[in-house]
């Protein structure tokens, strides 16, 4: 087989162009911070904004919460049922956990089938762990929900490829409660409805008083933080609340004041939710691999990468995953052998070293942009809370992208240093693995203490 000849300059110029359009320079990141601040203010006051700024009706835990609590944690394609014992002083026992996987059918099902799946999973867990006493349950539901109290909230829209019919515009706690009744599950009080970012923040804040930001960087992406209640102008109509601060779910995945490339536009147009979740499509694990595939295909079509026979493979939507990018960017073997193996597994045979180097560069360019956008938005949140960074801030982050990608965390930290300079040392980033379920249990405990006055306990009984 003869090796194809690619004009070196052609590839180099194309790569330089790609770097240029994907670059998030410091001035660009500062512009993001400026726009993010504006959108935060607008979102808090009910003006039109790409940031939904959803009040969570809960403050940080004190660390003194005690008791046994159950949590249901619905994130991406996994559902987890957990039981936690909170021991006070920020300590907790080893959780009991059971994992369930949602099929594509469940993600596209109708509301009753979807919530029945959740209820049935909970039933199995309660049976396995022999949990018979009445229990308070925290429900982590990782989608944009407009709450009007700690245990009630209406789904605004689906994200991350979910499309369960008949849920948008309805109270998800009500729908789960009905499913519990249908499935004859007794003695469960759903005392808290929690976004996964809020759960992550709560789990970390239980033992760390400096924690005031929770971030998810996984299939989807989002952040929450602590805001003085007086600034949440739109909350006035929602009723009384007993604390002076409240966690706000930013829903940053929908932020749209970002410089986009033609590749982003292609991805968006072909997605299940065009024009929505713009930041999420540039940052999160569900989309980065697909973005890389679109760029690889473009390079291939221009004759700069792989042989033309690879085009059919590269044209398959979804074939290239964010996990692949992690493997590719982490390859430091002589001859980039891991990349070769990975390409072979996708059916791309006979790549040259120049091909593999280009693939690695393309993946790095895309993931570096993602980490720098994340850093800019994180800096925006911190400087909204504390413009001079006069105190320490712990940021709790969960999600496989942050945890597993070889460069994401490093690049994010580097950009934070460029933006915050010496003050970056006041920002501590802490990986909070699988924290959202634990956080929901903690918030169930906070809610039991009546953090939101007027919240009713939702008791399910056998029908
Ligand atoms: C959802 C958020 C969620 C994030 C991380 C996004 O798609 O809109 O509510 O926190 O994913 O799971």
């Amino acid at each position: 087989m003869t090796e194809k000849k690619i004009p070196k300059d052609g590839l180099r110029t194309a790569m330089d162009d790609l770097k240029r359009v994907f670059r998030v320079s410091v001035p660009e990141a500062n512009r993001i911070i400026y726009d993010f601040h504006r959108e935060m203010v607008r979102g808090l006051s009910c003006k039109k904004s790409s940031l939904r700024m959803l009040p969570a009706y809960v403050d940080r835990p004190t660390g003194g919460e005690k008791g046994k609590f159950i949590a249901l944690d619905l994130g991406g394609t996994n559902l987890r049922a957990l039981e936690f014992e909170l021991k006070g002083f920020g300590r907790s026992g080893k959780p009991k956990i059971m994992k369930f996987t949602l099929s594509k059918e469940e993600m596209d099902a109708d509301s009753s089938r979807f919530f029945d799946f959740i209820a049935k999973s909970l039933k199995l867990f309660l049976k396995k762990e022999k949990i018979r006493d009445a229990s308070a349950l925290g429900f982590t539901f990782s989608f944009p929900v407009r709450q009007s109290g700690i245990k009630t909230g209406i789904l605004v829209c689906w994200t991350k490829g979910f499309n369960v019919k008949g849920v948008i515009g309805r109270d998800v706690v009500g729908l789960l409660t009905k499913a519990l009744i249908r499935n004859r599950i007794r003695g469960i009080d759903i005392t808290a409805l929690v976004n996964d970012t809020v759960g992550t923040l709560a789990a970390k804040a239980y033992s760390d008083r400096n924690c005031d930001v929770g971030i998810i960087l996984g299939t989807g992406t989002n952040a929450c933080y602590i805001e003085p209640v007086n600034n949440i102008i739109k909350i006035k109509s929602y009723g009384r609340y007993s604390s002076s601060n409240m966690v706000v779910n930013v829903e940053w995945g929908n932020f749209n004041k970002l410089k986009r490339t033609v590749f982003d536009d292609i991805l968006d147009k072909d997605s299940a939710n065009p024009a929505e979740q713009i930041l999420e499509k540039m940052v999160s694990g569900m989309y980065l691999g697909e973005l890389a595939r679109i760029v690889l295909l473009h390079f291939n079509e221009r004759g700069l990468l792989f042989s033309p026979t690879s085009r059919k493979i590269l044209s398959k939507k979804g074939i290239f995953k964010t996990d692949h990018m992690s493997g590719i960017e982490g390859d430091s073997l002589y001859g980039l052998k891991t990349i070769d193996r990975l390409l072979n597994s996708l059916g791309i045979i006979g790549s040259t070293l120049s091909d593999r180097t280009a693939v690695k560069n393309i993946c790095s360019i895309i993931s570096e942009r993602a980490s720098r956008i994340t850093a800019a938005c994180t800096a925006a949140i911190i400087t909204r809370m504390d413009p001079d960074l006069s105190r320490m801030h712990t940021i709790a982050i969960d999600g496989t992208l942050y945890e597993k990608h070889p460069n994401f965390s490093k690049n994010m930290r580097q950009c934070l240093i460029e933006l915050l300079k010496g003050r970056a040392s006041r920002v501590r980033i802490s990986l909070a693995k699988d924290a959202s379920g634990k956080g929901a249990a903690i918030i169930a405990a906070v809610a039991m203490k009546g953090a939101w006055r007027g919240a009713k306990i939702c008791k399910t009984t056998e029908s």
Side-chain angles (χ1 to χ4, degrees), residues 23-33 257-259 376:
R23 183 156 177 252
V24 180
S25 62
V26 170
E28 172 63 12
N30 278 318
R31 195 211 35 90
I32 293 176
I33 296 177
K257 305 284 176 277
L258 294 164
K259 196 180 80 190

Side-chain angles (χ1 to χ4, degrees), residues 231-243:
N231 291 342
I232 313 175
I233 298 178
K234 63 184 178 185
I235 219 170
K236 290 210 174 94
S237 58
Y238 288 171
R240 292 198 341 221
Y241 176 77
S242 60
S243 183

